[in-house]
């Protein structure tokens, strides 16, 4: 005999997820992300020194391709303009779209993937707070980087302050280069597409998207190679922490649910006991009355007279000629006469 196990139906599992709890959760984490970039600006001089140190380390190890990509994008507008559009928009579009796709088509994997993304984003916030870093485009001119977002600003909605729309540059923290969540989020999206995609095109996009994003962030002079590597490491740590975090959440939810159920069961049990006692008393009383009545009928065969029953006169008081009179009485009277 062969025993097969089937996965839970997607519709049944989706019933455990609530969009009115998912959307606020994601909104809160994204709000923290944006708020941290805004509030934790760090010291500009320290951020510039950190960026210069990262670039110097890359030059010593001969792992500094960002300058070559930056020159390529600034010299060829057909590369620089699409790269600027990709940097300014894709992470706002692709990442939420993947979340919605998982919710609708892969609900059994959504919770794990969402938790992975959220934890990694929180780790990125810690990096922004502890290591404020100036991107290559904000290093002194001697380093030779050109801000392609400013160069091709007339093609898009952004100004000279990263990818923020014109006039809103004060709402972003430009010294939050380490780690690169552009790369981290794109890696998460690529893994989701490659793992859960059902055709070659989707899986190919899953491979190309994070690679293209890494080239874009370096070519636009917004991140170093080390930032991209830190973004990958951030997603790795988030992946390792996702499963324990979910187990902890499930354990807490189980305890809270059990406590609530026990409290409801205790109050409900008291009501049920009281109701059963009352019902038992009524049933016992009814049984006693019924048994008493049946016993009386069985013993004497006579009915218990009701208060409205008229007493029947004795034979001595009856008229001998009346119907139903006693025969013995009539005979006695005839002999006397």
């Amino acid at each position: 005999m062969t025993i097969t196990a089937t996965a839970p139906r997607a519709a049944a599992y989706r019933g455990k997820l609530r969009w009115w709890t998912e959307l606020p959760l994601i909104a809160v984490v994204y709000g923290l992300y944006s708020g941290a970039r805004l509030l934790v600006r760090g010291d500009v001089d320290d951020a510039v020194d950190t960026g210069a140190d990262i670039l110097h380390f890359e030059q010593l190890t001969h792992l500094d391709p960002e300058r070559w990509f930056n020159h390529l994008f600034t010299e060829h507008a057909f590369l620089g303009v699409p790269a600027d559009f990709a940097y300014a928009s894709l992470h706002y579009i692709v990442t939420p779209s993947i979340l919605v796709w998982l919710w609708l088509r892969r609900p059994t994997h959504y919770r794990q993937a969402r938790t992975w993304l959220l934890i990694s984003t929180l780790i990125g916030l810690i990096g922004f707070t502890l290591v404020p870093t100036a991107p290559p485009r904000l290093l002194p001119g001697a380093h030779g980087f050109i801000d392609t977002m400013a160069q091709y600003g007339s093609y898009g909605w952004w100004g000279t302050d990263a990818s923020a729309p014109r006039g809103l540059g004060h709402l972003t923290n430009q010294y939050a280069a380490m780690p690169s969540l552009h790369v981290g989020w794109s890696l998460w999206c690529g893994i989701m597409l490659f793992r859960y995609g059902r055709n070659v095109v989707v899986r190919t996009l899953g491979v190309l998207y994070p690679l293209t994003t890494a080239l874009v962030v370096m070519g636009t002079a917004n991140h170093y190679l080390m930032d991209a590597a830190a973004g990958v490491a951030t997603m790795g740590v988030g992946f390792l922490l996702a499963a324990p975090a979910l187990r902890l959440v499930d354990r807490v939810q189980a305890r809270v649910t059990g406590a609530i159920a026990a409290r409801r069961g205790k109050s409900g049990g008291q009501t049920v006991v009281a109701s059963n006692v009352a019902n038992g008393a009524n049933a016992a009383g009814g049984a006693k009355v019924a048994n008493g009545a049946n016993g009386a009928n069985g013993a004497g065969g006579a009915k218990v007279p009701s208060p409205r029953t008229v007493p029947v006169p004795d034979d001595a008081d009856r008229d001998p000629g009346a119907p139903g009179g006693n025969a013995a009485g009539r005979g006695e009277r005839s002999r006397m006469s």
Side-chain angles (χ1 to χ4, degrees), residues 192-250:
M192 295 301 106
L193 292 175
F194 186 84
R195 183 175 181 180
Y196 302 120
R198 292 183 176 178
N199 56 68
V200 177
V201 175
V202 174
R203 292 185 174 183
T204 302
L205 291 175
V207 175
L208 294 179
Y209 181 56
L211 294 177
T212 303
T213 301
L215 298 180
V216 165
V217 299
M218 290 187 292
T220 57
N222 280 288
H223 288 282
Y224 308 93
L225 177 63
M226 295 299 297
D227 295 343
V232 173
T234 298
M235 299 309 297
V237 175
F239 175 77
L240 295 177
L241 294 179
L246 284 176
R247 287 195 295 268
L248 177 61
V249 170
D250 291 341

Side-chain angles (χ1 to χ4, degrees), residues 68-184:
W68 184 84
F69 285 117
N70 181 241
H71 290 170
L72 185 66
F73 285 11
T74 55
E75 293 176 2
H76 303 284
F78 72 92
L79 294 176
V81 173
D84 289 343
F85 274 101
Y87 181 82
S89 61
L90 287 186
H91 68 295
Y92 293 112
I93 298 174
V94 177
T95 308
S97 299
I98 298 296
L99 280 172
V100 173
W101 174 66
L102 291 172
W103 171 279
L104 296 176
R105 304 300 297 273
R106 301 292 185 272
T108 55
H109 304 289
Y110 168 82
R111 190 165 177 254
Q112 173 77 21
R114 174 260 286 159
T115 305
W116 176 13
L117 180 65
L118 296 185
I119 291 178
S120 300
T121 302
L122 293 177
I123 295 174
L125 299 184
I126 297 174
F128 298 156
T129 305
L130 299 179
V131 190
T133 305
R137 60 184 178 82
L138 293 182
L139 293 180
H143 292 86
F145 289 98
I146 299 175
D147 187 355
T148 62
M149 305 291 290
Q151 180 182 1
Y152 301 117
S154 59
Y155 290 89
W157 60 85
W158 55 84
T160 59
D161 301 315
S163 58
R166 295 184 183 88
L168 298 179
H170 62 284
L171 297 179
T172 185
N173 177 17
Q174 299 189 72
Y175 300 99
M178 174 67 76
S180 173
L181 287 184
H182 274 76
V183 174

Side-chain angles (χ1 to χ4, degrees), residues 242-269:
L246 284 176
R247 287 195 295 268
L248 177 61
V249 170
D250 291 341
R251 190 178 300 114
V252 172
Q253 288 181 345
R255 290 184 178 180
V256 172
T257 304
I260 295 175
R263 183 175 299 177
R264 290 179 178 177
K266 183 177 180 181
S267 59

